[in-house]
Amino acid sequence: MSRKLIVILVFLAFLVLGGLIIFNYLGGNNPIQITLVNQKPTPLSGIYYVGTPQDPSLKETFEKIETEKSLHPGSFLQTIYEVEPAGKLDTMRVFVGIDQLLVGDEYEQLVFEENRYLLARIQGSRWVMPGPEKVKSRLQDFADSAKLELSEIFIDKIISENEVHVIAPIRN
């Protein structure tokens, strides 16, 4: 083998090893922790947004709820994507809210009838967190193994920049 090829292979090996170390450091190998919670999901207050992902009113919806969150210490931003967009121009429907009672004509209240839910805890940098489909799949696998039926609602609860909880209510 030529000397150049050996240098390139060693460089690539170091690059791959470095990438794996960074991925692990950012939390890419952190497991999704799933537990069964025997209580009703917390009621939410917020706003439904229907439109495209690039519409400025989506950002305004999130900013409005973030403002309410700042006025209610201890509350968490929570979202429910009822229709997820496949692309930039697809229509989406998302509920953006917090776990506090908000009053006003623009706010809707979501109260859940289910008495139990699965809670998935995900920790790591947002750059390496598993995608929503992977989390839903793990929740569904857990539910199947425990002979539980999920209600098809998945609530994303933003705990911090590096921690997200996904709440999946269980049909009664």
Side-chain angles (χ1 to χ4, degrees), residues 67-88:
T67 300
E68 289 292 344
K69 179 183 170 288
S70 68
L71 298 173
H72 296 85
S75 63
F76 295 99
L77 179 74
Q78 300 190 43
T79 59
I80 301 172
Y81 287 85
E82 293 180 2
V83 177
E84 294 193 43
K88 293 180 192 175

Side-chain angles (χ1 to χ4, degrees), residues 49-55 57 83 85 88-94:
Y49 167 79
V50 179
T52 61
Q54 58 193 20
D55 189 330
S57 61
V83 177
K88 293 180 192 175
L89 300 176
D90 290 337
T91 299
M92 64 186 294
R93 179 175 165 87
V94 61

Side-chain angles (χ1 to χ4, degrees), residues 2-168:
S2 75
R3 191 174 183 110
K4 277 186 175 181
L5 183 60
I6 292 173
V7 170
I8 290 171
L9 289 175
V10 168
F11 175 75
L12 287 176
F14 277 114
L15 192 63
V16 168
L17 182 62
L20 289 172
I21 289 170
I22 291 170
F23 181 77
N24 193 50
Y25 175 76
L26 293 175
N29 288 321
N30 291 351
I32 299 171
Q33 301 171 340
I34 300 175
T35 55
L36 175 63
V37 179
N38 289 311
Q39 68 184 37
K40 286 180 174 275
T42 306
L44 302 175
S45 297
I47 301 170
Y48 273 103
Y49 167 79
V50 179
T52 61
Q54 58 193 20
D55 189 330
S57 61
L58 175 62
K59 182 179 179 185
E60 292 167 11
T61 300
F62 273 93
E63 288 172 349
K64 186 174 216 167
I65 297 302
E66 282 286 351
T67 300
E68 289 292 344
K69 179 183 170 288
S70 68
L71 298 173
H72 296 85
S75 63
F76 295 99
L77 179 74
Q78 300 190 43
T79 59
I80 301 172
Y81 287 85
E82 293 180 2
V83 177
E84 294 193 43
K88 293 180 192 175
L89 300 176
D90 290 337
T91 299
M92 64 186 294
R93 179 175 165 87
V94 61
F95 178 83
V96 182
I98 61 173
D99 49 357
Q100 297 287 324
L101 178 63
L102 300 177
V103 292
D105 291 339
E106 72 267 32
Y107 298 114
E108 294 189 41
Q109 314 304 317
L110 292 183
V111 178
F112 303 96
E113 299 300 320
E114 295 84 0
N115 294 318
R116 301 181 297 166
Y117 61 89
L118 293 181
L119 174 64
R121 288 188 170 105
I122 304 133
Q123 293 183 317
S125 169
R126 66 184 172 129
W127 300 107
V128 297
M129 278 190 186
E133 292 307 315
K134 182 175 183 178
V135 175
K136 288 177 186 178
S137 175
R138 293 273 173 87
L139 283 163
Q140 189 62 59
D141 291 345
F142 187 96
D144 291 345
S145 68
K147 295 184 173 45
L148 301 169
E149 186 180 355
L150 297 179
S151 68
E152 302 302 320
I153 296 171
F154 296 93
I155 305 163
D156 298 331
K157 181 178 182 179
I158 313 303
I159 303 300
S160 71
E161 195 172 295
N162 294 321
E163 184 174 0
V164 175
H165 292 177
V166 179
I167 298 163

